[in-house]
Amino acid sequence: MAYRIDPETDRQVVAEFRAQPIGPHSPNLQRVLNTLRMSKPRLALLCTRAFAEYVLVEIEADRRRPLIVHWDTRFASREEAEWFVFKRRWLALTGQALDD
């Protein structure tokens, strides 16, 4: 059985992720991240300039199709980009928005 996120009890890992989005992560946060990464929409980051610019992309269910690149959603740091994707995934899965 797949792990299900409980927005109330799992909310404690949100602060951990915000403080250290790239890792290392506690086992509880890693479990939440694995669940979020498998949920829809399948979001990812595309590095367009090394260590300087990241762009949001969506992965199609049919992997033979190209990525959907959101050129208007750019980030100057990986941490900023990872937080944005985390918030979007959390909202899609739990229905609850996270504050910045």
Side-chain angles (χ1 to χ4, degrees):
M1 173 183 249
Y3 179 75
R4 297 185 67 106
I5 292 177
D6 179 346
E8 299 306 316
T9 59
D10 289 326
R11 196 167 188 100
Q12 65 191 13
V13 300
V14 172
E16 178 188 346
F17 183 83
R18 183 68 171 128
Q20 199 164 8
I22 297 175
H25 303 301
S26 69
N28 194 30
L29 174 55
Q30 192 61 56
R31 188 171 50 249
V32 169
L33 288 173
N34 290 343
T35 303
L36 291 174
R37 289 176 180 149
M38 290 292 115
S39 65
K40 292 186 171 109
R42 298 290 306 272
L43 302 174
L45 298 169
L46 173 66
C47 182
T48 54
R49 287 189 332 196
F51 308 107
E53 184 179 74
Y54 301 83
V55 177
L56 181 68
V57 297
E58 284 184 63
I59 302 169
E60 292 280 350
D62 181 351
R63 290 279 179 113
R64 294 173 294 185
R65 297 185 51 91
L67 297 173
I68 300 169
V69 181
H70 296 276
W71 293 107
D72 57 331
T73 308
R74 297 173 188 258
F75 307 94
S77 73
R78 182 173 168 200
E79 291 81 5
E80 175 189 4
E82 294 284 357
W83 177 238
F84 179 87
V85 170
F86 184 92
K87 291 189 306 180
R88 292 272 304 266
R89 289 173 174 162
W90 183 273
L91 176 62
L93 201 61
T94 68
Q96 296 182 1
L98 296 173
D99 299 328
D100 281 328

